[in-house]
Short mmCIF file of all heavy atoms in Angstrom, two decimals:
data_model
loop_
_atom_site.label_atom_id
_atom_site.label_comp_id
_atom_site.label_asym_id
_atom_site.label_seq_id
_atom_site.Cartn_x
_atom_site.Cartn_y
_atom_site.Cartn_z
N MET H 1 -31.18 -19.89 -2.89
CA MET H 1 -30.65 -18.59 -3.27
C MET H 1 -31.76 -17.72 -3.85
O MET H 1 -32.62 -18.22 -4.56
CB MET H 1 -29.56 -18.74 -4.32
CG MET H 1 -28.25 -19.24 -3.76
SD MET H 1 -26.82 -19.12 -4.89
CE MET H 1 -27.45 -19.42 -6.46
N LYS H 2 -31.66 -16.46 -3.58
CA LYS H 2 -32.61 -15.52 -4.17
C LYS H 2 -32.23 -15.27 -5.62
O LYS H 2 -31.05 -15.20 -5.97
CB LYS H 2 -32.59 -14.20 -3.41
CG LYS H 2 -33.16 -14.30 -2.02
CD LYS H 2 -33.18 -12.93 -1.38
CE LYS H 2 -33.79 -13.01 0.00
NZ LYS H 2 -33.82 -11.69 0.65
N ALA H 3 -33.22 -15.10 -6.43
CA ALA H 3 -32.98 -14.84 -7.86
C ALA H 3 -32.64 -13.37 -8.08
O ALA H 3 -33.11 -12.48 -7.36
CB ALA H 3 -34.22 -15.21 -8.65
N ASP H 4 -31.81 -13.11 -9.07
CA ASP H 4 -31.49 -11.75 -9.55
C ASP H 4 -30.77 -10.86 -8.54
O ASP H 4 -30.83 -9.64 -8.64
CB ASP H 4 -32.76 -11.04 -10.02
CG ASP H 4 -33.45 -11.79 -11.15
OD1 ASP H 4 -32.72 -12.41 -11.96
OD2 ASP H 4 -34.69 -11.77 -11.20
N ILE H 5 -30.07 -11.43 -7.54
CA ILE H 5 -29.30 -10.57 -6.64
C ILE H 5 -27.80 -10.86 -6.74
O ILE H 5 -26.99 -10.11 -6.21
CB ILE H 5 -29.74 -10.73 -5.17
CG1 ILE H 5 -29.48 -12.14 -4.67
CG2 ILE H 5 -31.19 -10.33 -5.00
CD1 ILE H 5 -29.58 -12.27 -3.16
N HIS H 6 -27.43 -11.94 -7.44
CA HIS H 6 -26.02 -12.31 -7.54
C HIS H 6 -25.41 -11.78 -8.83
O HIS H 6 -26.07 -11.72 -9.86
CB HIS H 6 -25.89 -13.84 -7.47
CG HIS H 6 -26.44 -14.39 -6.20
ND1 HIS H 6 -25.77 -14.29 -5.01
CD2 HIS H 6 -27.59 -15.02 -5.91
CE1 HIS H 6 -26.48 -14.85 -4.05
NE2 HIS H 6 -27.61 -15.30 -4.57
N PRO H 7 -24.12 -11.41 -8.79
CA PRO H 7 -23.47 -10.91 -10.00
C PRO H 7 -23.29 -12.04 -11.03
O PRO H 7 -23.27 -13.22 -10.67
CB PRO H 7 -22.12 -10.40 -9.50
CG PRO H 7 -21.88 -11.10 -8.22
CD PRO H 7 -23.22 -11.39 -7.63
N ASP H 8 -23.13 -11.67 -12.27
CA ASP H 8 -22.91 -12.62 -13.35
C ASP H 8 -21.55 -13.31 -13.17
O ASP H 8 -20.53 -12.64 -12.98
CB ASP H 8 -22.96 -11.88 -14.69
CG ASP H 8 -22.76 -12.81 -15.86
OD1 ASP H 8 -23.20 -13.96 -15.78
OD2 ASP H 8 -22.14 -12.35 -16.84
N TYR H 9 -21.53 -14.63 -13.21
CA TYR H 9 -20.31 -15.42 -13.02
C TYR H 9 -19.98 -16.04 -14.37
O TYR H 9 -20.74 -16.84 -14.90
CB TYR H 9 -20.62 -16.49 -11.97
CG TYR H 9 -19.43 -17.17 -11.37
CD1 TYR H 9 -18.43 -16.46 -10.74
CD2 TYR H 9 -19.33 -18.56 -11.39
CE1 TYR H 9 -17.36 -17.09 -10.16
CE2 TYR H 9 -18.27 -19.20 -10.82
CZ TYR H 9 -17.28 -18.47 -10.20
OH TYR H 9 -16.21 -19.11 -9.63
N HIS H 10 -18.83 -15.65 -14.96
CA HIS H 10 -18.52 -16.02 -16.33
C HIS H 10 -17.03 -16.30 -16.49
O HIS H 10 -16.24 -16.10 -15.58
CB HIS H 10 -18.96 -14.89 -17.27
CG HIS H 10 -18.47 -13.56 -16.81
ND1 HIS H 10 -19.22 -12.77 -15.96
CD2 HIS H 10 -17.32 -12.90 -17.00
CE1 HIS H 10 -18.53 -11.66 -15.69
NE2 HIS H 10 -17.37 -11.73 -16.30
N MET H 11 -16.63 -16.74 -17.68
CA MET H 11 -15.23 -17.05 -17.98
C MET H 11 -14.49 -15.78 -18.41
O MET H 11 -14.99 -15.01 -19.22
CB MET H 11 -15.14 -18.09 -19.09
CG MET H 11 -15.72 -19.45 -18.73
SD MET H 11 -14.87 -20.24 -17.35
CE MET H 11 -13.31 -20.65 -18.10
N ILE H 12 -13.29 -15.57 -17.83
CA ILE H 12 -12.40 -14.48 -18.24
C ILE H 12 -11.00 -15.06 -18.42
O ILE H 12 -10.72 -16.18 -17.99
CB ILE H 12 -12.35 -13.32 -17.22
CG1 ILE H 12 -11.73 -13.77 -15.90
CG2 ILE H 12 -13.71 -12.72 -17.02
CD1 ILE H 12 -11.32 -12.62 -15.01
N LYS H 13 -10.12 -14.28 -19.02
CA LYS H 13 -8.72 -14.65 -19.16
C LYS H 13 -7.91 -13.77 -18.22
O LYS H 13 -8.18 -12.58 -18.08
CB LYS H 13 -8.24 -14.46 -20.59
CG LYS H 13 -8.90 -15.40 -21.56
CD LYS H 13 -8.43 -15.15 -22.97
CE LYS H 13 -9.18 -16.07 -23.91
NZ LYS H 13 -8.90 -15.75 -25.30
N VAL H 14 -6.92 -14.37 -17.57
CA VAL H 14 -6.02 -13.63 -16.68
C VAL H 14 -4.62 -13.70 -17.26
O VAL H 14 -4.11 -14.79 -17.53
CB VAL H 14 -6.03 -14.23 -15.25
CG1 VAL H 14 -5.06 -13.49 -14.36
CG2 VAL H 14 -7.43 -14.20 -14.67
N GLN H 15 -4.01 -12.53 -17.49
CA GLN H 15 -2.67 -12.47 -18.05
C GLN H 15 -1.70 -12.08 -16.94
O GLN H 15 -1.81 -11.00 -16.36
CB GLN H 15 -2.59 -11.48 -19.20
CG GLN H 15 -1.23 -11.43 -19.83
CD GLN H 15 -1.19 -10.55 -21.05
OE1 GLN H 15 -2.19 -9.93 -21.42
NE2 GLN H 15 -0.05 -10.49 -21.69
N MET H 16 -0.73 -12.97 -16.67
CA MET H 16 0.27 -12.72 -15.64
C MET H 16 1.33 -11.77 -16.19
O MET H 16 1.35 -11.47 -17.37
CB MET H 16 0.92 -14.05 -15.22
CG MET H 16 -0.09 -15.13 -14.88
SD MET H 16 -0.53 -15.20 -13.18
CE MET H 16 0.82 -16.08 -12.52
N THR H 17 2.23 -11.30 -15.33
CA THR H 17 3.26 -10.36 -15.74
C THR H 17 4.27 -10.98 -16.70
O THR H 17 4.89 -10.27 -17.48
CB THR H 17 4.01 -9.79 -14.53
OG1 THR H 17 4.57 -10.86 -13.79
CG2 THR H 17 3.11 -8.97 -13.65
N ASP H 18 4.44 -12.30 -16.65
CA ASP H 18 5.38 -12.96 -17.56
C ASP H 18 4.75 -13.34 -18.89
O ASP H 18 5.38 -13.97 -19.73
CB ASP H 18 5.99 -14.20 -16.89
CG ASP H 18 4.97 -15.28 -16.58
OD1 ASP H 18 3.77 -15.05 -16.80
OD2 ASP H 18 5.38 -16.35 -16.10
N GLY H 19 3.48 -12.97 -19.11
CA GLY H 19 2.80 -13.24 -20.36
C GLY H 19 1.93 -14.48 -20.35
O GLY H 19 1.19 -14.73 -21.29
N THR H 20 2.02 -15.28 -19.30
CA THR H 20 1.20 -16.48 -19.19
C THR H 20 -0.27 -16.08 -19.10
O THR H 20 -0.62 -15.16 -18.38
CB THR H 20 1.58 -17.28 -17.93
OG1 THR H 20 2.97 -17.53 -17.95
CG2 THR H 20 0.82 -18.57 -17.85
N VAL H 21 -1.11 -16.79 -19.84
CA VAL H 21 -2.55 -16.51 -19.84
C VAL H 21 -3.28 -17.78 -19.45
O VAL H 21 -2.95 -18.87 -19.92
CB VAL H 21 -3.03 -16.05 -21.23
CG1 VAL H 21 -4.53 -15.82 -21.24
CG2 VAL H 21 -2.31 -14.78 -21.65
N TYR H 22 -4.24 -17.65 -18.56
CA TYR H 22 -5.10 -18.79 -18.23
C TYR H 22 -6.54 -18.31 -18.08
O TYR H 22 -6.79 -17.14 -17.91
CB TYR H 22 -4.62 -19.51 -16.96
CG TYR H 22 -4.72 -18.70 -15.69
CD1 TYR H 22 -5.85 -18.78 -14.89
CD2 TYR H 22 -3.69 -17.87 -15.27
CE1 TYR H 22 -5.96 -18.06 -13.72
CE2 TYR H 22 -3.79 -17.15 -14.11
CZ TYR H 22 -4.91 -17.24 -13.34
OH TYR H 22 -5.02 -16.52 -12.18
N GLU H 23 -7.45 -19.25 -18.19
CA GLU H 23 -8.87 -18.93 -18.08
C GLU H 23 -9.40 -19.35 -16.73
O GLU H 23 -8.99 -20.37 -16.18
CB GLU H 23 -9.67 -19.64 -19.18
CG GLU H 23 -9.48 -19.02 -20.53
CD GLU H 23 -10.48 -19.54 -21.54
OE1 GLU H 23 -11.64 -19.76 -21.16
OE2 GLU H 23 -10.09 -19.72 -22.70
N THR H 24 -10.28 -18.53 -16.18
CA THR H 24 -10.91 -18.83 -14.91
C THR H 24 -12.30 -18.21 -14.91
O THR H 24 -12.63 -17.41 -15.77
CB THR H 24 -10.07 -18.30 -13.73
OG1 THR H 24 -10.63 -18.77 -12.51
CG2 THR H 24 -10.01 -16.78 -13.72
N ARG H 25 -13.08 -18.57 -13.93
CA ARG H 25 -14.40 -17.97 -13.78
C ARG H 25 -14.33 -16.84 -12.78
O ARG H 25 -13.61 -16.92 -11.78
CB ARG H 25 -15.40 -19.03 -13.33
CG ARG H 25 -15.62 -20.07 -14.42
CD ARG H 25 -16.53 -21.16 -13.97
NE ARG H 25 -17.80 -20.58 -13.55
CZ ARG H 25 -18.88 -21.28 -13.26
NH1 ARG H 25 -18.85 -22.58 -13.34
NH2 ARG H 25 -19.99 -20.69 -12.90
N SER H 26 -15.08 -15.77 -13.04
CA SER H 26 -15.01 -14.59 -12.20
C SER H 26 -16.26 -13.74 -12.37
O SER H 26 -17.01 -13.90 -13.33
CB SER H 26 -13.78 -13.76 -12.56
OG SER H 26 -13.73 -12.57 -11.82
N THR H 27 -16.44 -12.81 -11.45
CA THR H 27 -17.50 -11.80 -11.59
C THR H 27 -16.92 -10.51 -12.16
O THR H 27 -17.66 -9.55 -12.38
CB THR H 27 -18.16 -11.52 -10.24
OG1 THR H 27 -17.17 -11.07 -9.32
CG2 THR H 27 -18.85 -12.75 -9.71
N TRP H 28 -15.60 -10.45 -12.37
CA TRP H 28 -14.94 -9.26 -12.90
C TRP H 28 -15.22 -9.12 -14.39
O TRP H 28 -15.19 -10.07 -15.15
CB TRP H 28 -13.43 -9.37 -12.67
CG TRP H 28 -12.67 -8.19 -13.17
CD1 TRP H 28 -12.42 -7.03 -12.51
CD2 TRP H 28 -12.06 -8.06 -14.46
NE1 TRP H 28 -11.70 -6.18 -13.30
CE2 TRP H 28 -11.47 -6.78 -14.51
CE3 TRP H 28 -11.99 -8.87 -15.56
CZ2 TRP H 28 -10.79 -6.32 -15.61
CZ3 TRP H 28 -11.31 -8.40 -16.68
CH2 TRP H 28 -10.72 -7.14 -16.69
N GLY H 29 -15.46 -7.92 -14.86
CA GLY H 29 -15.60 -7.64 -16.28
C GLY H 29 -16.78 -8.33 -16.93
O GLY H 29 -17.79 -8.61 -16.30
N LYS H 30 -16.61 -8.60 -18.25
CA LYS H 30 -17.63 -9.28 -19.03
C LYS H 30 -17.05 -10.58 -19.57
O LYS H 30 -15.85 -10.80 -19.54
CB LYS H 30 -18.07 -8.38 -20.19
CG LYS H 30 -18.74 -7.08 -19.75
CD LYS H 30 -19.19 -6.27 -20.95
CE LYS H 30 -18.04 -5.77 -21.74
NZ LYS H 30 -17.62 -4.44 -21.62
N GLU H 31 -17.90 -11.42 -20.07
CA GLU H 31 -17.49 -12.70 -20.66
C GLU H 31 -16.40 -12.48 -21.70
O GLU H 31 -16.54 -11.64 -22.60
CB GLU H 31 -18.70 -13.37 -21.31
CG GLU H 31 -18.39 -14.68 -21.99
CD GLU H 31 -18.31 -15.86 -21.04
OE1 GLU H 31 -18.97 -15.80 -19.98
OE2 GLU H 31 -17.60 -16.82 -21.36
N GLY H 32 -15.25 -13.16 -21.56
CA GLY H 32 -14.18 -13.07 -22.55
C GLY H 32 -13.18 -11.95 -22.31
O GLY H 32 -12.18 -11.87 -23.02
N ASP H 33 -13.40 -11.06 -21.33
CA ASP H 33 -12.44 -9.99 -21.04
C ASP H 33 -11.12 -10.57 -20.53
O ASP H 33 -11.07 -11.68 -20.03
CB ASP H 33 -12.99 -9.04 -19.98
CG ASP H 33 -14.02 -8.07 -20.54
OD1 ASP H 33 -14.20 -8.04 -21.76
OD2 ASP H 33 -14.64 -7.35 -19.73
N THR H 34 -10.04 -9.78 -20.67
CA THR H 34 -8.73 -10.19 -20.18
C THR H 34 -8.31 -9.27 -19.03
O THR H 34 -8.26 -8.05 -19.20
CB THR H 34 -7.68 -10.12 -21.30
OG1 THR H 34 -8.09 -10.99 -22.36
CG2 THR H 34 -6.32 -10.55 -20.80
N LEU H 35 -8.04 -9.87 -17.89
CA LEU H 35 -7.56 -9.15 -16.72
C LEU H 35 -6.04 -9.21 -16.74
O LEU H 35 -5.45 -10.29 -16.66
CB LEU H 35 -8.10 -9.78 -15.44
CG LEU H 35 -7.57 -9.24 -14.12
CD1 LEU H 35 -7.96 -7.77 -13.93
CD2 LEU H 35 -8.10 -10.07 -12.96
N THR H 36 -5.37 -8.07 -16.89
CA THR H 36 -3.91 -8.01 -16.93
C THR H 36 -3.41 -7.63 -15.55
O THR H 36 -3.76 -6.57 -15.02
CB THR H 36 -3.44 -6.98 -17.97
OG1 THR H 36 -4.02 -7.30 -19.23
CG2 THR H 36 -1.93 -6.98 -18.08
N LEU H 37 -2.59 -8.49 -14.96
CA LEU H 37 -2.07 -8.27 -13.62
C LEU H 37 -0.80 -7.43 -13.65
O LEU H 37 0.05 -7.62 -14.51
CB LEU H 37 -1.79 -9.61 -12.94
CG LEU H 37 -2.97 -10.55 -12.78
CD1 LEU H 37 -2.51 -11.85 -12.14
CD2 LEU H 37 -4.06 -9.91 -11.95
N ASP H 38 -0.68 -6.50 -12.70
CA ASP H 38 0.55 -5.73 -12.54
C ASP H 38 1.51 -6.46 -11.61
O ASP H 38 2.72 -6.38 -11.77
CB ASP H 38 0.25 -4.35 -11.94
CG ASP H 38 -0.57 -3.48 -12.86
OD1 ASP H 38 -0.44 -3.64 -14.09
OD2 ASP H 38 -1.35 -2.65 -12.37
N ILE H 39 0.98 -7.13 -10.62
CA ILE H 39 1.78 -7.88 -9.65
C ILE H 39 1.13 -9.24 -9.49
O ILE H 39 -0.08 -9.34 -9.35
CB ILE H 39 1.81 -7.16 -8.29
CG1 ILE H 39 2.48 -5.80 -8.43
CG2 ILE H 39 2.53 -8.00 -7.25
CD1 ILE H 39 2.45 -4.97 -7.17
N ASP H 40 1.96 -10.28 -9.52
CA ASP H 40 1.44 -11.63 -9.32
C ASP H 40 2.51 -12.47 -8.61
O ASP H 40 3.61 -11.97 -8.34
CB ASP H 40 1.02 -12.26 -10.65
CG ASP H 40 2.16 -12.38 -11.64
OD1 ASP H 40 3.33 -12.45 -11.23
OD2 ASP H 40 1.89 -12.42 -12.84
N PRO H 41 2.21 -13.70 -8.27
CA PRO H 41 3.17 -14.52 -7.52
C PRO H 41 4.50 -14.75 -8.23
O PRO H 41 5.48 -15.08 -7.58
CB PRO H 41 2.42 -15.85 -7.33
CG PRO H 41 0.99 -15.48 -7.35
CD PRO H 41 0.89 -14.36 -8.34
N THR H 42 4.56 -14.57 -9.54
CA THR H 42 5.83 -14.77 -10.24
C THR H 42 6.73 -13.55 -10.18
O THR H 42 7.91 -13.64 -10.48
CB THR H 42 5.60 -15.14 -11.72
OG1 THR H 42 4.92 -14.06 -12.37
CG2 THR H 42 4.79 -16.41 -11.84
N SER H 43 6.18 -12.39 -9.77
CA SER H 43 6.98 -11.16 -9.77
C SER H 43 7.04 -10.45 -8.42
O SER H 43 7.88 -9.59 -8.23
CB SER H 43 6.44 -10.18 -10.82
OG SER H 43 5.15 -9.75 -10.47
N HIS H 44 6.18 -10.79 -7.50
CA HIS H 44 6.11 -10.07 -6.23
C HIS H 44 7.18 -10.58 -5.26
O HIS H 44 7.33 -11.78 -5.09
CB HIS H 44 4.72 -10.22 -5.61
CG HIS H 44 4.47 -9.25 -4.50
ND1 HIS H 44 4.95 -9.43 -3.23
CD2 HIS H 44 3.82 -8.07 -4.48
CE1 HIS H 44 4.59 -8.42 -2.47
NE2 HIS H 44 3.90 -7.57 -3.22
N PRO H 45 7.93 -9.69 -4.61
CA PRO H 45 9.00 -10.10 -3.70
C PRO H 45 8.53 -10.97 -2.53
O PRO H 45 9.30 -11.75 -2.00
CB PRO H 45 9.56 -8.78 -3.17
CG PRO H 45 9.13 -7.75 -4.13
CD PRO H 45 7.87 -8.24 -4.77
N ALA H 46 7.28 -10.85 -2.13
CA ALA H 46 6.79 -11.67 -1.03
C ALA H 46 6.81 -13.15 -1.39
O ALA H 46 6.98 -14.00 -0.53
CB ALA H 46 5.37 -11.24 -0.64
N TRP H 47 6.63 -13.47 -2.67
CA TRP H 47 6.63 -14.86 -3.11
C TRP H 47 7.97 -15.27 -3.69
O TRP H 47 8.35 -16.43 -3.60
CB TRP H 47 5.55 -15.11 -4.16
CG TRP H 47 4.17 -15.11 -3.58
CD1 TRP H 47 3.60 -16.08 -2.83
CD2 TRP H 47 3.20 -14.09 -3.71
NE1 TRP H 47 2.34 -15.73 -2.47
CE2 TRP H 47 2.05 -14.51 -3.00
CE3 TRP H 47 3.16 -12.86 -4.35
CZ2 TRP H 47 0.90 -13.76 -2.92
CZ3 TRP H 47 2.01 -12.12 -4.27
CH2 TRP H 47 0.90 -12.56 -3.56
N THR H 48 8.70 -14.35 -4.31
CA THR H 48 9.95 -14.72 -4.97
C THR H 48 11.13 -14.70 -4.03
O THR H 48 12.16 -15.29 -4.31
CB THR H 48 10.25 -13.77 -6.14
OG1 THR H 48 10.42 -12.44 -5.63
CG2 THR H 48 9.16 -13.82 -7.19
N GLY H 49 11.01 -13.99 -2.90
CA GLY H 49 12.12 -13.90 -1.96
C GLY H 49 13.13 -12.83 -2.35
O GLY H 49 14.12 -12.62 -1.68
N GLY H 50 12.90 -12.13 -3.43
CA GLY H 50 13.81 -11.09 -3.87
C GLY H 50 13.56 -9.79 -3.13
O GLY H 50 12.56 -9.62 -2.44
N ASN H 51 14.49 -8.88 -3.25
CA ASN H 51 14.36 -7.55 -2.67
C ASN H 51 14.13 -7.60 -1.16
O ASN H 51 13.37 -6.81 -0.61
CB ASN H 51 13.23 -6.78 -3.37
CG ASN H 51 13.31 -5.29 -3.09
OD1 ASN H 51 14.34 -4.80 -2.64
ND2 ASN H 51 12.24 -4.59 -3.34
N GLN H 52 14.80 -8.55 -0.51
CA GLN H 52 14.66 -8.61 0.94
C GLN H 52 15.58 -7.58 1.56
O GLN H 52 16.67 -7.33 1.10
CB GLN H 52 15.03 -9.99 1.45
CG GLN H 52 14.05 -11.06 1.07
CD GLN H 52 14.44 -12.40 1.65
OE1 GLN H 52 15.50 -12.54 2.22
NE2 GLN H 52 13.57 -13.37 1.49
N ARG H 53 15.11 -7.01 2.63
CA ARG H 53 15.95 -6.08 3.37
C ARG H 53 15.72 -6.35 4.85
O ARG H 53 14.65 -6.77 5.27
CB ARG H 53 15.64 -4.63 3.04
CG ARG H 53 14.25 -4.21 3.45
CD ARG H 53 13.98 -2.78 3.06
NE ARG H 53 12.63 -2.46 3.47
CZ ARG H 53 12.30 -1.38 4.11
NH1 ARG H 53 13.21 -0.49 4.39
NH2 ARG H 53 11.06 -1.16 4.46
N LEU H 54 16.73 -6.15 5.60
CA LEU H 54 16.59 -6.35 7.02
C LEU H 54 15.77 -5.23 7.62
O LEU H 54 15.96 -4.06 7.29
CB LEU H 54 17.97 -6.39 7.69
CG LEU H 54 18.85 -7.56 7.28
CD1 LEU H 54 20.23 -7.38 7.89
CD2 LEU H 54 18.24 -8.87 7.72
N MET H 55 14.85 -5.60 8.47
CA MET H 55 13.99 -4.58 9.07
C MET H 55 14.78 -3.69 10.02
O MET H 55 14.47 -2.54 10.20
CB MET H 55 12.83 -5.24 9.82
CG MET H 55 11.83 -5.91 8.90
SD MET H 55 11.19 -4.82 7.63
CE MET H 55 10.23 -3.70 8.60
N ASP H 56 15.81 -4.24 10.63
CA ASP H 56 16.60 -3.42 11.54
C ASP H 56 18.06 -3.48 11.14
O ASP H 56 18.77 -4.40 11.48
CB ASP H 56 16.43 -3.90 12.98
CG ASP H 56 17.12 -2.94 13.92
OD1 ASP H 56 16.57 -1.87 14.17
OD2 ASP H 56 18.23 -3.25 14.38
N ALA H 57 18.50 -2.52 10.39
CA ALA H 57 19.91 -2.38 10.07
C ALA H 57 20.41 -1.17 10.83
O ALA H 57 20.69 -0.12 10.28
CB ALA H 57 20.10 -2.22 8.57
N GLY H 58 20.49 -1.32 12.16
CA GLY H 58 20.86 -0.19 12.99
C GLY H 58 19.70 0.77 13.16
O GLY H 58 19.90 1.96 13.39
N GLY H 59 18.50 0.26 13.06
CA GLY H 59 17.33 1.12 13.06
C GLY H 59 16.56 1.10 14.35
O GLY H 59 17.01 1.57 15.39
N ARG H 60 15.36 0.55 14.31
CA ARG H 60 14.41 0.66 15.41
C ARG H 60 14.87 -0.02 16.69
O ARG H 60 14.70 0.52 17.78
CB ARG H 60 13.05 0.10 14.99
CG ARG H 60 12.45 0.77 13.77
CD ARG H 60 12.20 2.25 13.94
NE ARG H 60 11.23 2.49 15.00
CZ ARG H 60 10.98 3.67 15.53
NH1 ARG H 60 11.62 4.73 15.09
NH2 ARG H 60 10.10 3.80 16.48
N VAL H 61 15.42 -1.24 16.59
CA VAL H 61 15.86 -1.95 17.80
C VAL H 61 17.02 -1.22 18.46
O VAL H 61 17.05 -1.04 19.68
CB VAL H 61 16.23 -3.41 17.48
CG1 VAL H 61 16.84 -4.08 18.69
CG2 VAL H 61 15.01 -4.17 17.00
N ALA H 62 17.97 -0.75 17.65
CA ALA H 62 19.10 -0.01 18.19
C ALA H 62 18.63 1.29 18.85
O ALA H 62 19.13 1.67 19.92
CB ALA H 62 20.11 0.29 17.09
N GLN H 63 17.67 1.93 18.25
CA GLN H 63 17.12 3.17 18.81
C GLN H 63 16.42 2.89 20.14
O GLN H 63 16.58 3.63 21.10
CB GLN H 63 16.15 3.79 17.81
CG GLN H 63 15.61 5.14 18.24
CD GLN H 63 14.66 5.74 17.21
OE1 GLN H 63 14.31 5.09 16.21
NE2 GLN H 63 14.25 6.97 17.43
N PHE H 64 15.66 1.78 20.20
CA PHE H 64 14.98 1.40 21.43
C PHE H 64 16.00 1.10 22.54
O PHE H 64 15.87 1.57 23.66
CB PHE H 64 14.10 0.17 21.18
CG PHE H 64 13.40 -0.31 22.42
CD1 PHE H 64 12.20 0.24 22.80
CD2 PHE H 64 13.94 -1.33 23.18
CE1 PHE H 64 11.54 -0.20 23.94
CE2 PHE H 64 13.30 -1.77 24.33
CZ PHE H 64 12.11 -1.21 24.71
N ASN H 65 17.03 0.31 22.20
CA ASN H 65 18.05 -0.03 23.20
C ASN H 65 18.81 1.20 23.67
O ASN H 65 19.16 1.30 24.85
CB ASN H 65 19.02 -1.07 22.64
CG ASN H 65 18.39 -2.43 22.53
OD1 ASN H 65 17.43 -2.73 23.24
ND2 ASN H 65 18.88 -3.25 21.61
N LYS H 66 19.05 2.13 22.79
CA LYS H 66 19.74 3.36 23.17
C LYS H 66 18.87 4.17 24.13
O LYS H 66 19.36 4.72 25.12
CB LYS H 66 20.04 4.19 21.91
CG LYS H 66 20.73 5.50 22.19
CD LYS H 66 20.97 6.24 20.87
CE LYS H 66 21.53 7.61 21.15
NZ LYS H 66 21.62 8.42 19.93
N ARG H 67 17.59 4.19 23.87
CA ARG H 67 16.67 4.99 24.69
C ARG H 67 16.33 4.34 26.01
O ARG H 67 16.26 5.00 27.04
CB ARG H 67 15.39 5.24 23.90
CG ARG H 67 14.44 6.21 24.51
CD ARG H 67 13.33 6.54 23.56
NE ARG H 67 12.38 7.44 24.17
CZ ARG H 67 11.24 7.80 23.64
NH1 ARG H 67 10.92 7.35 22.44
NH2 ARG H 67 10.43 8.61 24.26
N PHE H 68 16.11 3.02 26.01
CA PHE H 68 15.64 2.33 27.20
C PHE H 68 16.62 1.27 27.72
O PHE H 68 16.25 0.48 28.59
CB PHE H 68 14.28 1.66 26.92
CG PHE H 68 13.22 2.62 26.53
CD1 PHE H 68 12.75 2.67 25.22
CD2 PHE H 68 12.67 3.49 27.46
CE1 PHE H 68 11.75 3.56 24.86
CE2 PHE H 68 11.66 4.39 27.10
CZ PHE H 68 11.21 4.42 25.79
N GLY H 69 17.80 1.22 27.20
CA GLY H 69 18.76 0.18 27.56
C GLY H 69 19.15 0.19 29.03
O GLY H 69 19.46 -0.83 29.61
N GLY H 70 19.14 1.33 29.68
CA GLY H 70 19.56 1.43 31.07
C GLY H 70 18.47 1.07 32.07
O GLY H 70 18.74 0.92 33.26
N LEU H 71 17.27 0.92 31.61
CA LEU H 71 16.17 0.59 32.52
C LEU H 71 16.21 -0.89 32.91
O LEU H 71 16.57 -1.74 32.11
CB LEU H 71 14.82 0.88 31.86
CG LEU H 71 14.55 2.34 31.52
CD1 LEU H 71 13.19 2.47 30.83
CD2 LEU H 71 14.59 3.21 32.75
N SER H 72 15.84 -1.17 34.12
CA SER H 72 15.85 -2.54 34.60
C SER H 72 14.68 -2.73 35.56
O SER H 72 14.26 -1.79 36.24
CB SER H 72 17.17 -2.84 35.31
OG SER H 72 17.14 -4.11 35.87
N LEU H 73 14.18 -3.96 35.67
CA LEU H 73 13.11 -4.26 36.59
C LEU H 73 13.65 -4.64 37.96
O LEU H 73 12.89 -4.78 38.91
CB LEU H 73 12.23 -5.39 36.03
CG LEU H 73 11.47 -5.04 34.76
CD1 LEU H 73 10.74 -6.27 34.23
CD2 LEU H 73 10.49 -3.92 34.99
N LYS H 74 14.95 -4.85 38.07
CA LYS H 74 15.55 -5.24 39.33
C LYS H 74 15.61 -4.05 40.28
O LYS H 74 15.75 -2.92 39.88
CB LYS H 74 16.96 -5.78 39.12
CG LYS H 74 16.97 -7.03 38.25
CD LYS H 74 18.39 -7.46 37.98
CE LYS H 74 18.40 -8.65 37.05
NZ LYS H 74 19.75 -9.03 36.70
N LYS H 75 15.51 -4.35 41.61
CA LYS H 75 15.57 -3.27 42.60
C LYS H 75 16.93 -3.19 43.24
O LYS H 75 17.67 -4.04 43.38
CB LYS H 75 14.51 -3.49 43.69
CG LYS H 75 13.12 -3.29 43.15
CD LYS H 75 12.11 -3.41 44.25
CE LYS H 75 10.73 -3.17 43.69
NZ LYS H 75 9.70 -3.15 44.66
#
């Protein structure tokens, strides 16, 4: 490795949205800083399964079928 081209790698604290704090190594901030997360795996719908909505509730697929439903590849 080349000297003096890499960022400082140090210990920081990460605070989750539920208040949980853990220590990890990072190049973010300075030694001992606390990174407060706005979204994390305990609160984001992609991980929790909450706030799901159907992508097509009479929407895009119905619109496509209405527009192109009469077309056929048969002769």
Side-chain angles (χ1 to χ4, degrees):
M1 285 192 325
K2 291 184 179 180
D4 301 326
I5 64 166
H6 300 285
D8 181 34
Y9 196 56
H10 49 269
M11 295 298 290
I12 66 165
K13 293 178 183 173
V14 178
Q15 182 174 2
M16 310 268 280
T17 57
D18 64 356
T20 306
V21 178
Y22 66 93
E23 286 192 37
T24 188
R25 293 176 57 171
S26 176
T27 58
W28 180 86
K30 296 182 293 259
E31 178 81 27
D33 282 353
T34 300
L35 174 64
T36 305
L37 300 178
D38 294 330
I39 297 175
D40 61 25
T42 62
S43 66
H44 194 280
W47 287 286
T48 62
N51 196 16
Q52 291 182 353
R53 65 182 179 133
L54 295 173
M55 291 306 292
D56 187 76
R60 302 300 297 168
V61 173
Q63 185 179 6
F64 178 86
N65 288 336
K66 179 181 174 187
R67 189 171 178 187
F68 299 109
L71 297 178
S72 174
L73 295 175
K74 298 176 184 176
K75 291 184 178 185

